Amino acid sequence: MRIILLGAPGAGKGTQAQFLMKTFGIPQISTGDMLRAAIKAGTPLGQQAKQVMDAGKLVSDDIMIGLVKERVAEPDCQNGFLLDGFPRTIPQADAMHEAGISIDCVLEFAVPDEVIVKRMAGRRVHPGSGRVYHIDHNPPATEGKDDETGEDLVIRDDDKEATVRKRLSIYHEQTEPLVAYYRKLAEQGKTAFHRIDGTRDVETISSELGKLLG
Ligand code: AP5
Ligand code: ZN
């Protein structure tokens, strides 16, 4: 199963990816996590991406397309994958389809901007795994520590309110047009498309996804 998770920053893509990975045994391909790993490793890509990400802007289409094409060709993606944060522009979507990478299902997570701004203030992440928590809605068993490794949780560099607002405006400008793009493909029978109300609690959304995809 090849799934695209579409939605604004903070809409819950990474959170539901954790559930879908476990339930369907397919890997999560988070382009944001890949870029953060490159920054941490100090690679040329990471050095280039850091400023762009901290400003809440998008890394260039060419770089992202190359990165994802390489990743989906790896053996663990044979039986499917979850694209989390890609495609994010029409050219990224076009490139994927031109490369013959078909998609079974697109899930759009709908959450109003003001809910997102509030949520992001409470997000904590485990950099090593990409696991995501929220201090109120999805807290770890031990405050400030990852459930599986016990390592420290951190606040993402781009979660400052001003940066979140910038990311939201870029989402509406450059990524939201993909909703119409995939709805049209769905009308042509080329993929399935589901709009998910992302304002409900984490478990309610997971159980809806389980039923939809089950
Ligand atoms: P990326 O890492 O992809 O960030 P994003 O899309 O902005 O999304 P987030 O990770 O912020 O949110 P999410 O939807 O995963 O929400 P989460 O589950 O964590 O990208 C970062 C940057 O990398 C970009 O800005 C760009 O610069 C660059 N980049 C990446 N991909 C790119 C591409 N393809 N092209 C160009 N540039 C690219 O949840 C958020 C919080 O809410 C958490 O605290 C969580 O616990 C909580 N929460 C989740 N669900 C619920 C719920 N139902 N109720 C209450 N709280 C909830
Ligand atoms: Zn995420």
Side-chain angles (χ1 to χ4, degrees):
M1 192 155 26
R2 295 167 162 191
I3 299 173
I4 290 176
L5 306 176
L6 190 60
K13 303 180 297 291
T15 300
Q16 296 302 331
Q18 295 294 322
F19 164 78
L20 294 169
M21 261 197 300
K22 277 185 211 143
T23 308
F24 297 102
I26 47 178
Q28 171 195 19
I29 302 178
S30 161
T31 44
D33 284 350
M34 289 161 83
L35 293 170
R36 281 182 288 276
I39 291 174
K40 208 171 165 208
T43 66
L45 166 65
Q47 284 165 8
Q48 223 180 317
K50 169 112 179 91
Q51 265 195 335
V52 178
M53 288 172 78
D54 284 353
K57 297 183 186 160
L58 296 183
V59 175
S60 82
D61 286 335
D62 287 350
I63 291 179
M64 299 313 300
I65 290 163
L67 216 67
V68 170
K69 273 192 192 166
E70 251 177 53
R71 180 67 187 88
V72 298
E74 283 173 31
D76 65 324
C77 292
Q78 289 292 308
N79 294 323
F81 45 76
L82 293 159
L83 284 172
D84 167 4
F86 185 96
R88 228 179 176 93
T89 62
I90 301 271
Q92 290 181 15
D94 282 340
M96 192 170 63
H97 296 285
E98 278 155 23
I101 304 165
S102 61
I103 296 297
D104 302 306
C105 182
V106 179
L107 302 170
E108 182 210 354
F109 293 87
V111 182
D113 287 8
E114 288 314 310
V115 176
I116 285 175
V117 171
K118 273 195 207 135
R119 258 189 205 178
M120 295 300 236
R123 171 158 65 180
R124 300 292 181 272
V125 299
H126 176 239
S129 67
R131 274 187 286 279
V132 195
Y133 301 87
H134 189 282
I135 51 174
D136 303 317
H137 308 303
N138 190 16
T142 308
E143 197 185 318
K145 303 286 178 196
D146 176 50
D147 286 348
E148 285 183 31
T149 61
E151 290 167 355
D152 286 343
L153 301 179
V154 304
I155 298 177
R156 257 169 59 173
D157 289 339
D158 57 352
D159 275 353
K160 290 192 228 48
E161 183 173 333
T163 314
V164 169
R165 289 194 186 275
K166 175 74 187 166
R167 288 160 62 201
L168 284 168
S169 84
I170 290 190
Y171 174 79
H172 294 305
E173 245 169 61
Q174 301 202 39
T175 309
E176 215 169 14
L178 289 175
V179 171
Y181 181 105
Y182 283 112
R183 276 189 191 277
K184 197 168 156 207
L185 285 187
E187 279 162 18
Q188 297 166 354
K190 292 180 181 159
T191 185
F193 182 96
H194 300 284
R195 186 170 206 259
I196 309 294
D197 172 3
T199 61
R200 297 163 302 162
D201 60 54
V202 173
E203 291 73 25
T204 306
I205 297 170
S206 298
S207 93
E208 180 184 356
L209 296 181
K211 280 183 210 141
L212 270 178
L213 302 169

